[in-house]
Short mmCIF file of all heavy atoms in Angstrom, two decimals:
data_model
loop_
_atom_site.label_atom_id
_atom_site.label_comp_id
_atom_site.label_asym_id
_atom_site.label_seq_id
_atom_site.Cartn_x
_atom_site.Cartn_y
_atom_site.Cartn_z
N ALA A 248 -12.35 10.13 -15.82
CA ALA A 248 -13.61 9.41 -15.98
C ALA A 248 -13.42 7.90 -15.83
O ALA A 248 -14.25 7.12 -16.26
CB ALA A 248 -14.22 9.73 -17.34
N SER A 249 -12.33 7.48 -15.20
CA SER A 249 -12.00 6.06 -15.08
C SER A 249 -13.06 5.31 -14.28
O SER A 249 -13.57 5.79 -13.28
CB SER A 249 -10.64 5.89 -14.41
OG SER A 249 -10.39 4.53 -14.12
N ASP A 250 -13.38 4.10 -14.75
CA ASP A 250 -14.28 3.24 -13.98
C ASP A 250 -13.52 2.04 -13.41
O ASP A 250 -14.12 1.05 -13.01
CB ASP A 250 -15.45 2.77 -14.85
CG ASP A 250 -15.01 1.79 -15.93
OD1 ASP A 250 -13.81 1.79 -16.29
OD2 ASP A 250 -15.86 1.03 -16.42
N ILE A 251 -12.18 2.14 -13.39
CA ILE A 251 -11.36 1.08 -12.82
C ILE A 251 -11.18 1.34 -11.33
O ILE A 251 -10.82 2.46 -10.92
CB ILE A 251 -9.98 1.01 -13.51
CG1 ILE A 251 -10.14 0.88 -15.02
CG2 ILE A 251 -9.17 -0.14 -12.94
CD1 ILE A 251 -10.87 -0.36 -15.47
N VAL A 252 -11.44 0.33 -10.52
CA VAL A 252 -11.40 0.51 -9.07
C VAL A 252 -10.58 -0.59 -8.40
O VAL A 252 -10.34 -1.66 -8.97
CB VAL A 252 -12.81 0.53 -8.46
CG1 VAL A 252 -13.64 1.66 -9.05
CG2 VAL A 252 -13.52 -0.82 -8.65
N ILE A 253 -10.16 -0.28 -7.19
CA ILE A 253 -9.59 -1.28 -6.28
C ILE A 253 -10.69 -1.62 -5.29
O ILE A 253 -11.20 -0.76 -4.59
CB ILE A 253 -8.35 -0.73 -5.56
CG1 ILE A 253 -7.21 -0.51 -6.57
CG2 ILE A 253 -7.90 -1.69 -4.46
CD1 ILE A 253 -6.00 0.20 -5.98
N GLY A 254 -11.06 -2.88 -5.26
CA GLY A 254 -12.19 -3.31 -4.43
C GLY A 254 -11.81 -4.10 -3.20
O GLY A 254 -12.68 -4.51 -2.43
N GLY A 255 -10.51 -4.32 -3.00
CA GLY A 255 -10.08 -5.07 -1.83
C GLY A 255 -8.58 -5.00 -1.66
O GLY A 255 -7.85 -4.70 -2.62
N TYR A 256 -8.10 -5.25 -0.46
CA TYR A 256 -6.66 -5.21 -0.17
C TYR A 256 -6.33 -6.22 0.90
O TYR A 256 -7.19 -6.65 1.69
CB TYR A 256 -6.24 -3.81 0.29
CG TYR A 256 -6.81 -3.43 1.64
CD1 TYR A 256 -6.13 -3.72 2.83
CD2 TYR A 256 -8.06 -2.83 1.75
CE1 TYR A 256 -6.67 -3.41 4.07
CE2 TYR A 256 -8.62 -2.52 2.98
CZ TYR A 256 -7.92 -2.82 4.14
OH TYR A 256 -8.46 -2.51 5.36
N ALA A 257 -5.07 -6.60 0.96
CA ALA A 257 -4.59 -7.50 2.01
C ALA A 257 -3.09 -7.35 2.12
O ALA A 257 -2.41 -6.97 1.16
CB ALA A 257 -4.96 -8.96 1.70
N GLU A 258 -2.55 -7.63 3.29
CA GLU A 258 -1.11 -7.63 3.47
C GLU A 258 -0.72 -8.48 4.67
O GLU A 258 -1.52 -8.66 5.60
CB GLU A 258 -0.55 -6.21 3.62
CG GLU A 258 -0.97 -5.49 4.87
CD GLU A 258 -0.34 -4.12 4.97
OE1 GLU A 258 0.68 -3.86 4.31
OE2 GLU A 258 -0.88 -3.28 5.72
N THR A 259 0.48 -8.98 4.63
CA THR A 259 1.02 -9.72 5.77
C THR A 259 1.71 -8.75 6.72
O THR A 259 2.01 -7.62 6.34
CB THR A 259 2.07 -10.75 5.31
OG1 THR A 259 3.24 -10.04 4.85
CG2 THR A 259 1.54 -11.63 4.19
N PRO A 260 1.97 -9.17 7.94
CA PRO A 260 2.88 -8.38 8.77
C PRO A 260 4.25 -8.30 8.10
O PRO A 260 4.64 -9.21 7.36
CB PRO A 260 2.93 -9.18 10.08
CG PRO A 260 1.68 -9.99 10.10
CD PRO A 260 1.41 -10.33 8.66
N VAL A 261 4.97 -7.23 8.36
CA VAL A 261 6.34 -7.09 7.88
C VAL A 261 7.25 -7.68 8.94
O VAL A 261 7.20 -7.28 10.11
CB VAL A 261 6.69 -5.62 7.61
CG1 VAL A 261 8.13 -5.50 7.10
CG2 VAL A 261 5.72 -5.02 6.59
N VAL A 262 8.08 -8.65 8.55
CA VAL A 262 8.87 -9.43 9.50
C VAL A 262 10.33 -9.44 9.07
O VAL A 262 10.63 -9.58 7.87
CB VAL A 262 8.34 -10.87 9.61
CG1 VAL A 262 9.18 -11.69 10.57
CG2 VAL A 262 6.89 -10.87 10.04
N PHE A 263 11.23 -9.32 10.01
CA PHE A 263 12.66 -9.45 9.71
C PHE A 263 13.08 -10.91 9.87
O PHE A 263 12.87 -11.51 10.92
CB PHE A 263 13.49 -8.56 10.64
CG PHE A 263 14.97 -8.67 10.40
CD1 PHE A 263 15.55 -8.04 9.31
CD2 PHE A 263 15.77 -9.42 11.24
CE1 PHE A 263 16.91 -8.15 9.08
CE2 PHE A 263 17.13 -9.54 11.02
CZ PHE A 263 17.70 -8.90 9.93
N GLY A 264 13.65 -11.48 8.80
CA GLY A 264 14.13 -12.85 8.86
C GLY A 264 13.04 -13.85 9.14
O GLY A 264 13.13 -14.67 10.06
N SER A 265 11.99 -13.83 8.32
CA SER A 265 10.83 -14.71 8.55
C SER A 265 11.13 -16.18 8.31
O SER A 265 10.44 -17.05 8.83
CB SER A 265 9.67 -14.28 7.65
OG SER A 265 9.96 -14.58 6.28
N GLY A 266 12.13 -16.46 7.47
CA GLY A 266 12.41 -17.84 7.10
C GLY A 266 11.45 -18.38 6.05
O GLY A 266 11.47 -19.58 5.75
N ARG A 267 10.62 -17.49 5.48
CA ARG A 267 9.62 -17.92 4.51
C ARG A 267 9.99 -17.43 3.11
O ARG A 267 10.86 -16.58 2.94
CB ARG A 267 8.25 -17.38 4.92
CG ARG A 267 7.83 -17.80 6.32
CD ARG A 267 6.54 -17.14 6.74
NE ARG A 267 5.41 -17.65 5.96
CZ ARG A 267 4.19 -17.12 6.02
NH1 ARG A 267 3.94 -16.06 6.77
NH2 ARG A 267 3.20 -17.65 5.30
N SER A 268 9.31 -17.96 2.11
CA SER A 268 9.56 -17.57 0.72
C SER A 268 8.52 -16.56 0.25
O SER A 268 7.47 -16.38 0.89
CB SER A 268 9.51 -18.79 -0.20
OG SER A 268 8.16 -19.25 -0.33
N ALA A 269 8.79 -15.92 -0.89
CA ALA A 269 7.83 -15.00 -1.48
C ALA A 269 6.52 -15.71 -1.79
O ALA A 269 5.43 -15.14 -1.62
CB ALA A 269 8.41 -14.38 -2.75
#
Side-chain angles (χ1 to χ4, degrees):
S249 172
D250 70 337
I251 306 299
V252 300
I253 293 173
Y256 68 90
E258 67 178 339
T259 69
V261 180
V262 179
F263 178 77
S265 69
R267 303 175 69 189
S268 71

